[in-house]
Amino acid sequence: MTLEDETGFVNLILWKDVFAAHRVVARTAGFLGVTGKVQSESGVVNLVAEELWVPRVSTATAEAGSRDFH
């Protein structure tokens, strides 16, 4: 798999047993959390997955008080 964020791309190495254990998340998640180890060799960066998960994201907006700079 290839993962992308605002800084670029990273290759995700997903071994057969890890994929089997997290098949539903791997195939359906639009936003994917990955726990694993980073490999870097000759300028190529890979993330070797140990676990996949769906991050919990709060949609609540933060409350901020008035900022009166007078």
Side-chain angles (χ1 to χ4, degrees):
M1 296 178 114
T2 303
L3 300 179
E4 178 185 7
D5 68 5
E6 56 276 345
T7 63
F9 297 96
V10 66
N11 300 315
L12 178 63
I13 299 174
L14 193 56
W15 298 115
K16 187 177 181 179
D17 59 334
V18 176
F19 180 81
H22 303 284
R23 177 182 312 272
V24 173
V25 173
R27 294 180 56 113
T28 62
F31 187 49
L32 186 63
V34 180
T35 302
K37 293 188 169 79
V38 175
Q39 283 182 339
S40 180
E41 188 173 324
S42 302
V44 177
V45 178
N46 297 312
L47 176 56
V48 181
E50 297 172 351
E51 184 178 5
L52 303 179
W53 41 277
V54 177
R56 293 184 183 210
V57 179
S58 174
T59 58
T61 56
E63 293 290 329
S66 174
R67 300 180 100 194
D68 189 359
F69 295 106
H70 294 277

